[in-house]
Amino acid sequence: MLKIQSNFFSSELCDRSKNFEDKAVSSLRDLQKRAGIHRDMTGWFNYPKNSGGRTLADIQKFQHEYHQFFDTVVVVGIGGSYLGARSAFEALSHRFTLGGVGHRKPMIFLGNHLSEQMSVETLEFLKERDPVVVVISKSGTTTEPAVAFRLVKKFLEAKYGKQGSSARIVAITDDDRGGLRQQVTQNDYPSFVIPGDVGGRYSVLTPVGMLPLALCGINTTKIMDGAAALFDEIMQGSDDELRNHPAIQYACLRMAAYEEGKRAELLVYGEPKLKSFAEWWRQLFGESQGKEGKGFYPGDLVITTDLHSVGQFVQEGSRIAFETFLSFDDPRYNSSAIEQRLAVPKADDNLDDLGYLEGAYIADINRKVMESTMAAHADGGVPNINIVVPKIDEFCLGYLYAFFQVACAVGGDLLGVNPYDQPGVEEYKKNLFALLGKPGYEERARRLKQLFPST
Ligand code: PA5
């Protein structure tokens, strides 16, 4: 299903990656048994088989019983509470869904920032729409979605009245903890649960990702099937078979680059519609592995756009990066009703010198750009591997989510860090609470006030 090509990873790096294989397989065995570093927070592992059917059935039941008309799905959440849904929605939908093209309901976002201007514009846009609001927060206390939820609730109440507004809200949160769960109980909102043993960035296959996608009309069964296929592959198999599994190979190749001194990994892809997928990938690896002074900075590069900007740095700047290309045998996703191919048109004058490309499909030219970039960057000292997937569709995307989650969890173990916590994220939050005057943070506030005397 998924292949890794390593033509542009040196033979030394490929050899070095083999040193990590035994440890990676043993880590995967731990994951299967929920042991070692993987003993907690691994509810995401094999989720499709353990809980996927029930999750999708609950969502289907909700959709069946939900009689409110809606033309827009608003996802209120941040980090792992929105990136999964956004990444699949954008990869699998017409890019002008919001303009009414294609057959999906649009998905828009609030609570993933604290921009007053963007919030004003979003609420302005919603005046003309009939939204359903999916508010997602595992802790139920994260500032950004909590603020956004207040804003959107006020907006809904003004537009639909108190009762009408409640009918447009569905919450996804912890089973019994946190402020959002309390709001669910108080207001009788329909709700779904983020399992306690699944962290935000590992939650795309739970209701966190699946509910908003299903509401937009995306086939979540196929996403779940794709993820199940990956888990099936790595639940069985001898140690030798697992050693050669692409998820294990990827984890080990990364470690070889790390040992060689690389400190940034760039996910390189040729479809701009994968931008949010890259965001999801960045969060997964950044929060899971970037700790204790270790890990790669996860960046991304969209081809061809970024070749005309940061491509210069990658080719000739500080030699800190290696690249992971993400390629598709067929990168076209038929998200509109019309399937069409585009080739370079014929022009008799040939003033732009494109005569040699007449009749060539754009996707094929794009593929050649990917290939020429792999070779050029490798020549410039940026080793790269190429992950090749059949196509951009629901099944392959589901497979990729599971693939990267497994590689990330096992890779965290190889690196010697806990891939399930995110202690670094808390630090700025404490400062924020202190600067905003939250009770209990007075001591920190005094220290910070000296650094920001005008606030
Ligand atoms: O992956 C994670 O755990 C984080 O990125 C969280 O998803 C993010 O901080 C949002 O947290 P919460 O869902 O509790 O609002």
Side-chain angles (χ1 to χ4, degrees), residues 63-193:
Q63 285 183 289
H64 189 68
E65 290 169 359
Y66 189 74
H67 295 306
Q68 209 69 39
F69 170 80
F70 65 94
D71 57 13
T72 306
V73 177
V74 183
V75 173
V76 176
I78 196 164
S81 287
Y82 94 108
L83 281 167
R86 183 172 194 162
S87 63
F89 175 78
E90 290 180 3
L92 301 173
S93 306
H94 196 289
R95 68 177 296 213
F96 293 115
T97 302
L98 214 47
V101 190
H103 49 275
R104 305 244 190 267
K105 290 196 166 135
M107 185 186 287
I108 65 168
F109 308 91
L110 253 184
N112 56 331
H113 55 72
L114 278 171
S115 158
E116 190 164 333
Q117 188 58 35
M118 295 255 289
S119 307
V120 166
E121 290 171 14
T122 306
L123 295 177
E124 224 164 54
F125 172 77
L126 287 179
K127 275 189 200 152
E128 310 303 322
R129 314 288 295 196
D130 288 307
V132 58
V133 173
V134 187
V135 53
I136 310 174
S137 177
K138 184 172 182 191
S139 61
T141 54
T142 308
T143 308
E144 294 89 334
V147 168
F149 188 43
R150 280 199 185 200
L151 290 173
V152 83
K153 251 191 324 193
K154 186 170 170 213
F155 164 85
L156 290 177
E157 277 173 23
K159 189 166 177 187
Y160 301 100
K162 186 121 184 99
Q163 234 184 343
S165 77
S166 296
R168 290 189 174 273
I169 291 168
V170 45
I172 309 179
T173 186
D174 188 84
D175 201 9
D176 58 7
R177 281 183 312 124
L180 186 54
R181 178 54 62 191
Q182 279 172 297
Q183 293 192 63
V184 166
T185 314
Q186 253 171 40
N187 298 286
D188 214 15
Y189 299 142
S191 71
F192 289 79
V193 170

Side-chain angles (χ1 to χ4, degrees), residues 119-424:
S119 307
V120 166
E121 290 171 14
T122 306
L123 295 177
E124 224 164 54
F125 172 77
L126 287 179
K127 275 189 200 152
E128 310 303 322
R129 314 288 295 196
D130 288 307
V132 58
V133 173
V134 187
V135 53
I136 310 174
S137 177
K138 184 172 182 191
S139 61
T141 54
T142 308
T143 308
E144 294 89 334
V147 168
F149 188 43
R150 280 199 185 200
L151 290 173
V152 83
K153 251 191 324 193
K154 186 170 170 213
F155 164 85
L156 290 177
E157 277 173 23
K159 189 166 177 187
Y160 301 100
K162 186 121 184 99
Q163 234 184 343
S165 77
S166 296
R168 290 189 174 273
I169 291 168
V170 45
I172 309 179
T173 186
D174 188 84
D175 201 9
D176 58 7
R177 281 183 312 124
L180 186 54
R181 178 54 62 191
Q182 279 172 297
Q183 293 192 63
V184 166
T185 314
Q186 253 171 40
N187 298 286
D188 214 15
Y189 299 142
S191 71
F192 289 79
V193 170
I194 307 177
D197 58 356
V198 181
R201 58 191 176 274
Y202 291 88
S203 69
V204 56
L205 298 171
T206 72
V208 172
M210 296 297 106
L211 177 68
L213 289 167
L215 291 172
C216 289
I218 285 178
N219 189 329
T220 46
T221 305
K222 287 189 183 162
I223 297 181
M224 200 66 90
D225 286 350
L230 179 284
F231 288 120
D232 280 352
E233 287 170 14
I234 56 166
M235 282 306 283
Q236 23 182 305
S238 64
D239 282 6
D240 269 349
E241 282 163 339
L242 291 178
R243 189 172 284 121
N244 290 315
H245 191 279
I248 295 299
Q249 288 292 310
Y250 175 51
C252 295
L253 289 162
R254 295 175 86 248
M255 281 307 293
Y258 191 74
E259 250 196 14
E260 205 196 52
K262 299 300 185 192
R263 289 296 178 266
E265 177 180 10
L266 305 174
L267 188 73
V268 188
Y269 48 97
E271 290 302 317
K273 288 169 74 158
L274 294 176
K275 183 80 192 156
S276 287
F277 183 82
E279 288 288 320
W280 172 85
W281 172 90
R282 291 180 63 212
Q283 191 221 359
L284 177 67
F285 281 91
E287 275 194 353
S288 301
Q289 298 190 355
K291 51 195 73 157
E292 298 173 33
K294 298 181 189 171
F296 292 105
Y297 176 79
D300 69 307
L301 213 65
V302 58
I303 296 231
T304 67
T305 315
D306 286 337
L307 295 179
H308 298 262
S309 65
V310 292
Q312 167 62 37
F313 175 89
V314 179
Q315 186 69 47
E316 294 185 340
S318 311
R319 306 293 69 197
I320 54 168
F322 87 99
E323 291 172 313
T324 297
F325 281 72
L326 184 56
S327 313
F328 297 86
D329 293 326
D330 180 358
R332 294 166 311 120
Y333 180 73
N334 179 23
S335 56
S336 69
I338 313 151
E339 177 151 11
Q340 62 173 17
R341 300 230 48 191
L342 281 181
V344 177
K346 194 167 164 35
D348 289 336
D349 56 17
N350 198 31
L351 291 175
D352 51 13
D353 260 350
L354 284 186
Y356 72 105
L357 280 180
E358 281 173 11
Y361 287 120
I362 309 297
D364 296 337
I365 301 173
N366 206 24
R367 192 190 318 277
K368 292 293 168 210
V369 178
M370 293 276 274
E371 290 171 1
S372 59
T373 307
M374 286 172 200
H377 286 181
D379 282 346
V382 181
N384 52 75
I385 55 174
N386 186 18
I387 293 179
V388 189
V389 183
K391 61 191 304 194
I392 301 178
D393 64 6
E394 291 83 349
F395 186 91
C396 290
L397 216 53
Y399 187 97
L400 277 173
Y401 288 129
F403 170 85
F404 281 123
Q405 285 176 342
V406 169
C408 180
V410 167
D413 203 358
L414 296 181
L415 208 53
V417 298
N418 177 353
Y420 304 115
D421 63 3
Q422 56 283 332

